[in-house]
Amino acid sequence: NDEQAIDEFMEFLPVLSFDGYSMTQLHAANVIDFLTRGISSSMLARRWNSPELLTLDLKAMEAILSNVDLLASLEQIELFRNIGQDLTAMISINKELRQKKLTKTKLTKEERAKKDDAARRRESLKARLQRFVTRIPAFMYLTDDREKAVRDIITQVETELFQKVTGLTLRDFEQLVDAGVFNDSKMNDAVWKFRSFEEPSLAYRHQDANAPRTLGGWTLRRDEGLAQLVDAGVLAFGNVVTGPGGAEALITEDYGLLVDGIRQESPSAAASAATGGVETDGWKFWSASTAYGEGTLAELHELVESP
């Protein structure tokens, strides 16, 4: 069977996965899951534990430390009892050693000890913050609105549910967002992967599961039909699609279409922007030349869906 054949092949050519911390060898079942579903459940779980989802650089640390209300609120949580002391120490050490880092000057034994201490404090704080992040998938699964961006759902629709699931108040969350703690691009990717993975279990919520629709990420929304063309390799990030009258749109790395420097979330929105606000079916408006041949986005999409 397929799994046995892949397992035999992987004895000679192991397949590795990087989860943000280390490389791990995948089993045949993981590889099949990835190929058929885009990402395995175990890989998805590790994705939400990835340190890449958080940005705890000097700017973010200073923003948290300077926010007296946020600091006081976090210190009421057992996990962050000493967050003020940790941030003060990390910022102080970072500034003290910055010049030597820029000039690549060798550190003294005492300075190396300080650097190691700051690194341990930073990793510890990121690990504590990640406990909140790993609860976000549970929050997403409990919400019905999949078209809105998760941040909008948190702040506008399900604020009380978010607080119950994560333990963070809306004010604390918004202040962490303002401090730049969350890596928006990585969070968008993680949210889209989670929602794509859970889709089969939620098919009953959609009257027409095959109809093109918009799917919310962390901060952005994307058109699932366009995402399907990109993920299938028909289109790629950086490709340019063209429309009547010399109109052009660039496919962005966040599954959007860039028209005149502004990201549009769907082909129709991009067509409207390119025509000065005229309501237009973007799937028939935009065309592209691909390995599948040349045609409108609608024609290309039909080719991908056909057996």
Side-chain angles (χ1 to χ4, degrees), residues 183-193 217-220 254:
N183 184 321
D184 288 346
S185 63
K186 299 293 184 182
M187 289 290 285
N188 275 313
D189 182 66
V191 171
W192 282 323
K193 280 185 169 63
W218 176 245
T219 58
L220 301 173
D254 50 25

Side-chain angles (χ1 to χ4, degrees), residues 234-250:
V234 178
L235 297 174
F237 301 135
N239 283 171
V240 174
V241 295
T242 59
E248 290 186 344
L250 177 76

Side-chain angles (χ1 to χ4, degrees), residues 124-153:
S124 174
L125 182 54
K126 285 191 76 171
R128 283 174 278 166
L129 286 169
Q130 277 177 249
R131 294 195 186 186
F132 292 122
V133 175
T134 54
R135 295 172 187 172
I136 291 176
F139 168 77
M140 287 190 290
Y141 192 81
L142 292 171
T143 61
D144 290 327
D145 197 334
R146 294 165 54 79
E147 292 192 358
K148 284 188 173 67
V150 173
R151 267 178 46 179
D152 291 337
I153 296 174

Side-chain angles (χ1 to χ4, degrees), residues 213-233:
R213 61 184 181 280
T214 302
L215 190 69
W218 176 245
T219 58
L220 301 173
R221 306 196 317 158
R222 76 179 190 187
D223 184 283
E224 283 298 86
L226 181 64
Q228 186 180 6
L229 286 176
V230 173
D231 291 341

Side-chain angles (χ1 to χ4, degrees), residues 269-280:
S272 177
T275 57
V278 178
E279 189 172 333
T280 307

